[in-house]
Amino acid sequence: MWSWVAHRVTGVLIFFFLFVHVLDTALVRVSPEAYDKVVATYKTPIVALLEYGLVAAILFHALNGLRVIAVDFWSKGPRYQKQMFWTVMGVWVVLMLGAIYPVLGHAARVLFGS
């Protein structure tokens, strides 16, 4: 049940990110100065944490989506859905650990120096 909820929540979060991304990219045609200001705010450590959350949401949504496809289209899928869920969580944790430095490295250098 919680994987169902998390799948929907991550889907909505990704949708809102894409909506905001389209809006802020459209600013370049309206006011390049406003676009530059918005992009400058994206270089803060707080936004880096939000980007890490976005990576977490996209990875979970993608991996869990593959699990849902396997449950729906594989005849033995419903029998193994719990094991597949824990496999998804394990792969997600490993990938999230691997994403720490690439996503948060710049924020750490800004906060703590190089």
Side-chain angles (χ1 to χ4, degrees), residues 67-84:
R67 183 189 70 84
V68 169
I69 290 170
V71 168
D72 287 346
F73 292 107
W74 182 34
S75 62
K76 296 180 183 179
R79 183 181 319 155
Y80 295 111
Q81 69 176 338
K82 195 170 193 175
Q83 292 90 338
M84 287 190 289

PDB file of all heavy atoms in Angstrom, residues 67-84:
ATOM      1  N   ARG A  67       8.637  -2.123 -11.421  1.00  0.00           N
ATOM      2  CA  ARG A  67       8.059  -3.170 -10.574  1.00  0.00           C
ATOM      3  C   ARG A  67       6.561  -3.329 -10.862  1.00  0.00           C
ATOM      4  O   ARG A  67       6.054  -4.447 -10.982  1.00  0.00           O
ATOM      5  CB  ARG A  67       8.257  -2.841  -9.087  1.00  0.00           C
ATOM      6  CG  ARG A  67       7.733  -3.930  -8.158  1.00  0.00           C
ATOM      7  CD  ARG A  67       7.756  -3.468  -6.711  1.00  0.00           C
ATOM      8  NE  ARG A  67       6.780  -2.439  -6.452  1.00  0.00           N
ATOM      9  CZ  ARG A  67       5.488  -2.687  -6.162  1.00  0.00           C
ATOM     10  NH1 ARG A  67       5.042  -3.914  -6.092  1.00  0.00           N
ATOM     11  NH2 ARG A  67       4.657  -1.696  -5.935  1.00  0.00           N
ATOM     12  N   VAL A  68       5.865  -2.220 -11.017  1.00  0.00           N
ATOM     13  CA  VAL A  68       4.431  -2.276 -11.316  1.00  0.00           C
ATOM     14  C   VAL A  68       4.194  -2.957 -12.659  1.00  0.00           C
ATOM     15  O   VAL A  68       3.271  -3.769 -12.808  1.00  0.00           O
ATOM     16  CB  VAL A  68       3.819  -0.856 -11.287  1.00  0.00           C
ATOM     17  CG1 VAL A  68       2.412  -0.843 -11.859  1.00  0.00           C
ATOM     18  CG2 VAL A  68       3.825  -0.301  -9.869  1.00  0.00           C
ATOM     19  N   ILE A  69       5.019  -2.644 -13.642  1.00  0.00           N
ATOM     20  CA  ILE A  69       4.906  -3.301 -14.947  1.00  0.00           C
ATOM     21  C   ILE A  69       5.118  -4.800 -14.802  1.00  0.00           C
ATOM     22  O   ILE A  69       4.376  -5.611 -15.384  1.00  0.00           O
ATOM     23  CB  ILE A  69       5.911  -2.691 -15.950  1.00  0.00           C
ATOM     24  CG1 ILE A  69       5.479  -1.278 -16.321  1.00  0.00           C
ATOM     25  CG2 ILE A  69       6.031  -3.553 -17.197  1.00  0.00           C
ATOM     26  CD1 ILE A  69       6.513  -0.498 -17.104  1.00  0.00           C
ATOM     27  N   ALA A  70       6.128  -5.193 -14.017  1.00  0.00           N
ATOM     28  CA  ALA A  70       6.394  -6.623 -13.819  1.00  0.00           C
ATOM     29  C   ALA A  70       5.215  -7.300 -13.119  1.00  0.00           C
ATOM     30  O   ALA A  70       4.832  -8.416 -13.489  1.00  0.00           O
ATOM     31  CB  ALA A  70       7.678  -6.818 -13.011  1.00  0.00           C
ATOM     32  N   VAL A  71       4.633  -6.645 -12.135  1.00  0.00           N
ATOM     33  CA  VAL A  71       3.484  -7.230 -11.429  1.00  0.00           C
ATOM     34  C   VAL A  71       2.303  -7.379 -12.387  1.00  0.00           C
ATOM     35  O   VAL A  71       1.594  -8.389 -12.364  1.00  0.00           O
ATOM     36  CB  VAL A  71       3.101  -6.373 -10.200  1.00  0.00           C
ATOM     37  CG1 VAL A  71       1.752  -6.789  -9.628  1.00  0.00           C
ATOM     38  CG2 VAL A  71       4.178  -6.467  -9.127  1.00  0.00           C
ATOM     39  N   ASP A  72       2.094  -6.388 -13.243  1.00  0.00           N
ATOM     40  CA  ASP A  72       0.941  -6.415 -14.146  1.00  0.00           C
ATOM     41  C   ASP A  72       1.096  -7.386 -15.311  1.00  0.00           C
ATOM     42  O   ASP A  72       0.125  -8.020 -15.716  1.00  0.00           O
ATOM     43  CB  ASP A  72       0.671  -5.015 -14.704  1.00  0.00           C
ATOM     44  CG  ASP A  72       0.068  -4.086 -13.673  1.00  0.00           C
ATOM     45  OD1 ASP A  72      -0.383  -4.578 -12.617  1.00  0.00           O
ATOM     46  OD2 ASP A  72       0.055  -2.856 -13.904  1.00  0.00           O
ATOM     47  N   PHE A  73       2.297  -7.497 -15.852  1.00  0.00           N
ATOM     48  CA  PHE A  73       2.451  -8.247 -17.091  1.00  0.00           C
ATOM     49  C   PHE A  73       3.175  -9.580 -16.952  1.00  0.00           C
ATOM     50  O   PHE A  73       3.250 -10.330 -17.912  1.00  0.00           O
ATOM     51  CB  PHE A  73       3.172  -7.386 -18.143  1.00  0.00           C
ATOM     52  CG  PHE A  73       2.332  -6.231 -18.603  1.00  0.00           C
ATOM     53  CD1 PHE A  73       2.632  -4.936 -18.206  1.00  0.00           C
ATOM     54  CD2 PHE A  73       1.242  -6.437 -19.423  1.00  0.00           C
ATOM     55  CE1 PHE A  73       1.857  -3.877 -18.620  1.00  0.00           C
ATOM     56  CE2 PHE A  73       0.453  -5.388 -19.852  1.00  0.00           C
ATOM     57  CZ  PHE A  73       0.767  -4.093 -19.450  1.00  0.00           C
ATOM     58  N   TRP A  74       3.715  -9.882 -15.805  1.00  0.00           N
ATOM     59  CA  TRP A  74       4.385 -11.154 -15.573  1.00  0.00           C
ATOM     60  C   TRP A  74       3.422 -12.033 -14.796  1.00  0.00           C
ATOM     61  O   TRP A  74       2.874 -11.626 -13.770  1.00  0.00           O
ATOM     62  CB  TRP A  74       5.680 -10.922 -14.796  1.00  0.00           C
ATOM     63  CG  TRP A  74       6.501 -12.130 -14.516  1.00  0.00           C
ATOM     64  CD1 TRP A  74       6.665 -13.233 -15.294  1.00  0.00           C
ATOM     65  CD2 TRP A  74       7.304 -12.343 -13.346  1.00  0.00           C
ATOM     66  NE1 TRP A  74       7.520 -14.119 -14.698  1.00  0.00           N
ATOM     67  CE2 TRP A  74       7.924 -13.593 -13.496  1.00  0.00           C
ATOM     68  CE3 TRP A  74       7.555 -11.608 -12.197  1.00  0.00           C
ATOM     69  CZ2 TRP A  74       8.770 -14.124 -12.530  1.00  0.00           C
ATOM     70  CZ3 TRP A  74       8.400 -12.120 -11.254  1.00  0.00           C
ATOM     71  CH2 TRP A  74       9.006 -13.376 -11.421  1.00  0.00           C
ATOM     72  N   SER A  75       3.200 -13.235 -15.264  1.00  0.00           N
ATOM     73  CA  SER A  75       2.202 -14.106 -14.630  1.00  0.00           C
ATOM     74  C   SER A  75       2.530 -14.398 -13.164  1.00  0.00           C
ATOM     75  O   SER A  75       1.625 -14.606 -12.350  1.00  0.00           O
ATOM     76  CB  SER A  75       2.064 -15.418 -15.412  1.00  0.00           C
ATOM     77  OG  SER A  75       3.295 -16.122 -15.415  1.00  0.00           O
ATOM     78  N   LYS A  76       3.808 -14.413 -12.809  1.00  0.00           N
ATOM     79  CA  LYS A  76       4.199 -14.660 -11.421  1.00  0.00           C
ATOM     80  C   LYS A  76       4.436 -13.360 -10.642  1.00  0.00           C
ATOM     81  O   LYS A  76       4.853 -13.399  -9.491  1.00  0.00           O
ATOM     82  CB  LYS A  76       5.460 -15.520 -11.369  1.00  0.00           C
ATOM     83  CG  LYS A  76       5.261 -16.897 -11.943  1.00  0.00           C
ATOM     84  CD  LYS A  76       6.539 -17.689 -11.867  1.00  0.00           C
ATOM     85  CE  LYS A  76       6.338 -19.053 -12.520  1.00  0.00           C
ATOM     86  NZ  LYS A  76       7.552 -19.845 -12.489  1.00  0.00           N
ATOM     87  N   GLY A  77       4.174 -12.234 -11.275  1.00  0.00           N
ATOM     88  CA  GLY A  77       4.431 -10.940 -10.659  1.00  0.00           C
ATOM     89  C   GLY A  77       3.740 -10.715  -9.323  1.00  0.00           C
ATOM     90  O   GLY A  77       4.374 -10.316  -8.354  1.00  0.00           O
ATOM     91  N   PRO A  78       2.420 -10.990  -9.229  1.00  0.00           N
ATOM     92  CA  PRO A  78       1.757 -10.770  -7.942  1.00  0.00           C
ATOM     93  C   PRO A  78       2.343 -11.616  -6.803  1.00  0.00           C
ATOM     94  O   PRO A  78       2.380 -11.186  -5.661  1.00  0.00           O
ATOM     95  CB  PRO A  78       0.305 -11.156  -8.219  1.00  0.00           C
ATOM     96  CG  PRO A  78       0.131 -10.921  -9.694  1.00  0.00           C
ATOM     97  CD  PRO A  78       1.457 -11.280 -10.300  1.00  0.00           C
ATOM     98  N   ARG A  79       2.829 -12.781  -7.132  1.00  0.00           N
ATOM     99  CA  ARG A  79       3.396 -13.661  -6.115  1.00  0.00           C
ATOM    100  C   ARG A  79       4.706 -13.089  -5.557  1.00  0.00           C
ATOM    101  O   ARG A  79       5.029 -13.284  -4.391  1.00  0.00           O
ATOM    102  CB  ARG A  79       3.639 -15.049  -6.708  1.00  0.00           C
ATOM    103  CG  ARG A  79       4.168 -16.049  -5.688  1.00  0.00           C
ATOM    104  CD  ARG A  79       4.431 -17.413  -6.274  1.00  0.00           C
ATOM    105  NE  ARG A  79       3.383 -17.828  -7.202  1.00  0.00           N
ATOM    106  CZ  ARG A  79       3.558 -18.705  -8.184  1.00  0.00           C
ATOM    107  NH1 ARG A  79       4.729 -19.262  -8.368  1.00  0.00           N
ATOM    108  NH2 ARG A  79       2.574 -19.033  -8.981  1.00  0.00           N
ATOM    109  N   TYR A  80       5.465 -12.400  -6.393  1.00  0.00           N
ATOM    110  CA  TYR A  80       6.780 -11.901  -5.998  1.00  0.00           C
ATOM    111  C   TYR A  80       6.823 -10.390  -5.801  1.00  0.00           C
ATOM    112  O   TYR A  80       7.895  -9.803  -5.739  1.00  0.00           O
ATOM    113  CB  TYR A  80       7.825 -12.300  -7.047  1.00  0.00           C
ATOM    114  CG  TYR A  80       8.028 -13.781  -7.145  1.00  0.00           C
ATOM    115  CD1 TYR A  80       7.612 -14.482  -8.261  1.00  0.00           C
ATOM    116  CD2 TYR A  80       8.623 -14.486  -6.100  1.00  0.00           C
ATOM    117  CE1 TYR A  80       7.788 -15.854  -8.361  1.00  0.00           C
ATOM    118  CE2 TYR A  80       8.802 -15.854  -6.184  1.00  0.00           C
ATOM    119  CZ  TYR A  80       8.382 -16.532  -7.314  1.00  0.00           C
ATOM    120  OH  TYR A  80       8.556 -17.886  -7.388  1.00  0.00           O
ATOM    121  N   GLN A  81       5.661  -9.755  -5.670  1.00  0.00           N
ATOM    122  CA  GLN A  81       5.669  -8.294  -5.603  1.00  0.00           C
ATOM    123  C   GLN A  81       6.376  -7.760  -4.361  1.00  0.00           C
ATOM    124  O   GLN A  81       7.046  -6.729  -4.418  1.00  0.00           O
ATOM    125  CB  GLN A  81       4.264  -7.730  -5.718  1.00  0.00           C
ATOM    126  CG  GLN A  81       3.353  -7.994  -4.552  1.00  0.00           C
ATOM    127  CD  GLN A  81       2.017  -7.295  -4.757  1.00  0.00           C
ATOM    128  OE1 GLN A  81       1.907  -6.338  -5.511  1.00  0.00           O
ATOM    129  NE2 GLN A  81       0.994  -7.780  -4.075  1.00  0.00           N
ATOM    130  N   LYS A  82       6.274  -8.460  -3.239  1.00  0.00           N
ATOM    131  CA  LYS A  82       6.949  -7.991  -2.031  1.00  0.00           C
ATOM    132  C   LYS A  82       8.471  -8.066  -2.187  1.00  0.00           C
ATOM    133  O   LYS A  82       9.185  -7.125  -1.837  1.00  0.00           O
ATOM    134  CB  LYS A  82       6.498  -8.811  -0.828  1.00  0.00           C
ATOM    135  CG  LYS A  82       6.842  -8.200   0.494  1.00  0.00           C
ATOM    136  CD  LYS A  82       6.154  -8.947   1.623  1.00  0.00           C
ATOM    137  CE  LYS A  82       6.229  -8.159   2.896  1.00  0.00           C
ATOM    138  NZ  LYS A  82       5.474  -8.781   3.980  1.00  0.00           N
ATOM    139  N   GLN A  83       8.964  -9.157  -2.739  1.00  0.00           N
ATOM    140  CA  GLN A  83      10.400  -9.293  -2.961  1.00  0.00           C
ATOM    141  C   GLN A  83      10.887  -8.257  -3.977  1.00  0.00           C
ATOM    142  O   GLN A  83      11.971  -7.685  -3.823  1.00  0.00           O
ATOM    143  CB  GLN A  83      10.754 -10.701  -3.447  1.00  0.00           C
ATOM    144  CG  GLN A  83      10.544 -11.780  -2.410  1.00  0.00           C
ATOM    145  CD  GLN A  83       9.137 -12.366  -2.451  1.00  0.00           C
ATOM    146  OE1 GLN A  83       8.196 -11.757  -2.934  1.00  0.00           O
ATOM    147  NE2 GLN A  83       8.994 -13.568  -1.922  1.00  0.00           N
ATOM    148  N   MET A  84      10.073  -8.018  -5.003  1.00  0.00           N
ATOM    149  CA  MET A  84      10.448  -7.009  -5.994  1.00  0.00           C
ATOM    150  C   MET A  84      10.467  -5.622  -5.370  1.00  0.00           C
ATOM    151  O   MET A  84      11.328  -4.798  -5.708  1.00  0.00           O
ATOM    152  CB  MET A  84       9.502  -7.051  -7.197  1.00  0.00           C
ATOM    153  CG  MET A  84       9.716  -8.242  -8.094  1.00  0.00           C
ATOM    154  SD  MET A  84       8.801  -8.143  -9.642  1.00  0.00           S
ATOM    155  CE  MET A  84       7.127  -8.378  -9.089  1.00  0.00           C
TER     156      MET A  84
END
